[in-house]
Amino acid sequence: MDSSKGSVKTAEKAEPEKFLVVDVRNAPPQVMKQKVAGAKHIPLKDLADRLGELPKDKMIVVYCWDTWCNMAAHAAVILLENGFDVLELTGGIAAWNTMNFPVEPVV
């Protein structure tokens, strides 16, 4: 499956029970401000210690800030090394916002 914004959103909409979107940005809520609606926030710096919070029976879709950010790629490696199925959301939250997909405040 292609990890472009449209294809991830289409797949998630068709079969939402098969996906978990994870925000891996390392920033306080007041800096992040918003996240993909329904996404779980696990900062990259904490990911290795919080793997138990993630289901192995779902495709994990990770994202960070934008195309210049490499946190999602690092998160994908950690997840793959630990037996997860993972995709990286190309373009991060910036691309998600450009596509006008749903977001929610980070609390």
Side-chain angles (χ1 to χ4, degrees):
M1 181 185 327
D2 183 326
S3 64
S4 66
K5 289 114 5 227
S7 63
V8 168
K9 184 66 182 162
T10 300
E12 184 185 29
K13 187 182 277 189
E15 299 179 282
E17 70 283 352
K18 292 187 178 184
F19 295 87
L20 176 65
V21 180
V22 179
D23 182 338
V24 297
R25 295 177 290 168
N26 292 321
Q30 65 271 23
V31 173
M32 293 178 19
K33 296 183 180 158
Q34 60 186 7
K35 65 179 183 165
V36 169
K40 182 174 187 68
H41 179 231
I42 301 179
L44 177 61
K45 65 183 179 58
D46 300 332
L47 183 61
D49 294 329
R50 295 178 59 186
L51 293 174
E53 296 177 31
L54 300 174
K56 289 212 173 178
D57 62 340
K58 292 188 178 190
M59 175 67 68
I60 307 297
V61 181
V62 293
Y63 73 91
C64 53
W65 296 100
D66 55 30
T67 56
W68 300 104
C69 179
N70 63 10
M71 285 186 273
H74 286 248
V77 169
I78 291 168
L79 292 167
L80 287 168
E81 288 175 342
N82 284 279
F84 291 89
D85 291 324
V86 62
L87 292 173
E88 182 181 351
L89 179 65
T90 304
I93 190 72
W96 191 264
N97 283 330
T98 299
M99 301 293 288
N100 292 314
F101 289 148
V103 294
E104 64 188 31
V106 175
V107 289

